């Protein structure tokens, strides 16, 4: 019976999602299945609630909490309440707009509709839409029933559409795909490579000030971890088949490096194998390392052309690093303003961008 615990919990999660979508019949089927697999008090309470009251979510009567089960209807001041009927002290309120927004996400037919973009939307528009929706539906910001599932659907949509290969495959499938926020086996081909929480933290340049960090893990994440463990058990030949393309690429890359001559210089900050002699370019004084035979192979115009290439590569690296530093700082400032986090805002203001400073210095010297 113990081995069926995860599957029973998954059935309970599906039943809770069905209740929030006003589908009591579906919820009852999955709860009964959960009881057959691994009887729990949580499933029993939900079944009793459905059999006695059904489920009709109304703002003034009953609400549903995806973690603690159904909350009883509020009583008047003169009515007595049993201890088990008191609303959970940890429950949090939500607005009608938040609930309606969650329902809109659940009704979306594809990833583009979830993010609210056209099918030809560029990367920048996807990022803007994801940034706005992720903050709006994060479980720490939106406590409406189903907000966690909506947050996961938003993360899945961005993770797939921001990946050129997966987006192309997704567009080819077209109408054959089912509802993108559901997690049945029919949607397995477009599972993202990163969880919504990890995507959020990476996108906004750091950890989220979360008080509900385990909320997501208690639901679908636990099911995904169980599926990953099952895939790992397969091992053997399946693992070898998966690793074989990587091994082939490594071997081909190694052979290519053997057959192709090594570059004549290195922009590393310190000496490395084959590059032990430090030099500075004549124009911008960019440091670079070369081999012992460099002076014999490069002189005159060859040396000037090479140093021009060194400076171009150096400036290109500075621009890329500067862009990354600005993105990280911008993400920290955005989160600090949105959540009113003074400490985070001060850290973001103090964050240094050394690559940008160096790039400005070089630009000034070029125009000077």
């Amino acid at each position: 019976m113990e081995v069926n615990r995860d599957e029973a919990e998954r059935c309970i999660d599906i039943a809770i999602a069905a209740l929030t979508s006003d589908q009591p019949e579906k919820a009852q089927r999955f709860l009964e299945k959960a009881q057959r697999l691994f009887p729990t008090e949580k499933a029993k309470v939900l079944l009793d609630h459905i059999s006695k009251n059904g489920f009709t979510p109304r703002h003034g009567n009953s609400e549903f909490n995806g973690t603690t089960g159904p909350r009883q209807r509020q009583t008047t001041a003169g009515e007595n309440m049993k201890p088990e009927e008191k609303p959970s002290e940890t429950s949090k309120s939500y607005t009608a707009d938040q609930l309606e927004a969650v329902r809109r996400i659940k009704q979306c037919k594809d990833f583009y509709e979830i993010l609210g973009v056209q099918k030809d939307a560029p990367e920048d528009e996807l990022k803007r839409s994801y940034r706005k929706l992720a903050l709006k539906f994060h479980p720490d910001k939106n406590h409406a029933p189903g907000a966690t599932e909506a947050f996961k659907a938003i993360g899945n949509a961005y993770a797939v559409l921001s990946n050129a290969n997966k987006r192309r495959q997704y567009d080819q499938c077209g109408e054959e795909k089912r509802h993108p926020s559901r997690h049945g086996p029919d949607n397995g081909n477009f599972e993202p490579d990163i969880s919504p929480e990890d995507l959020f933290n990476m996108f906004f340049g750091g950890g989220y000030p979360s008080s509900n960090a385990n909320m997501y893990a208690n639901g679908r994440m636990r099911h995904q971890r169980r599926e990953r463990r099952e895939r790992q058990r397969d091992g053997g030949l399946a693992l070898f088949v998966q690793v074989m393309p990587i091994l082939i690429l490594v071997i081909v890359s190694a052979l290519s490096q053997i057959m192709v001559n090594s570059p004549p210089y290195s922009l590393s900050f310190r000496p490395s194998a084959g590059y032990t002699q430090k030099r500075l370019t004549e124009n911008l004084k960019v440091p670079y390392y070369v081999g012992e035979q460099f002076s014999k192979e490069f002189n005159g115009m060859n040396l000037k052309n090479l140093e021009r290439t060194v400076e171009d590569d150096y400036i290109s690296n500075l621009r890329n690093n500067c862009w990354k530093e600005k993105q990280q700082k911008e993400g920290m400032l955005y989160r600090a303003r949105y959540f009113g986090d003074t400490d985070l805002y001060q850290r973001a203001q103090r964050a240094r961008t050394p690559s940008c400073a160096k790039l400005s210095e070089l630009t000034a010297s070029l125009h000077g």
Side-chain angles (χ1 to χ4, degrees), residues 74-94:
Q74 297 179 355
T75 59
T76 61
E79 293 179 328
N80 294 325
M81 296 180 65
K82 297 180 181 179
E84 64 270 20
E85 292 177 341
K86 292 181 181 179
S88 170
E89 293 179 357
T90 60
S91 61
K92 297 183 179 181
S93 60
Y94 55 89

Side-chain angles (χ1 to χ4, degrees), residues 46 53 59 87 99 107 110 120 186 205 217 266 292 298 312 317:
L46 292 173
N53 305 319
H59 286 297
L99 184 61
Q107 292 171 358
D110 56 45
D120 57 350
D186 293 331
S266 169
E292 295 179 354
F298 292 91
D312 290 343
N317 290 341

Side-chain angles (χ1 to χ4, degrees), residues 283-284 311 315 319 359-368:
N283 185 20
L284 299 179
E311 291 174 350
I315 292 174
R319 285 173 178 164
L359 183 61
S360 299
E361 180 183 337
L362 285 178
T363 304
S365 65
L366 285 173
H367 292 84

Side-chain angles (χ1 to χ4, degrees), residues 258-275:
I258 293 174
M259 292 185 294
V260 177
N261 292 331
S262 300
Y265 66 90
S266 169
L267 287 174
S268 174
F269 294 107
R270 58 182 60 87
S272 57
Y275 304 97

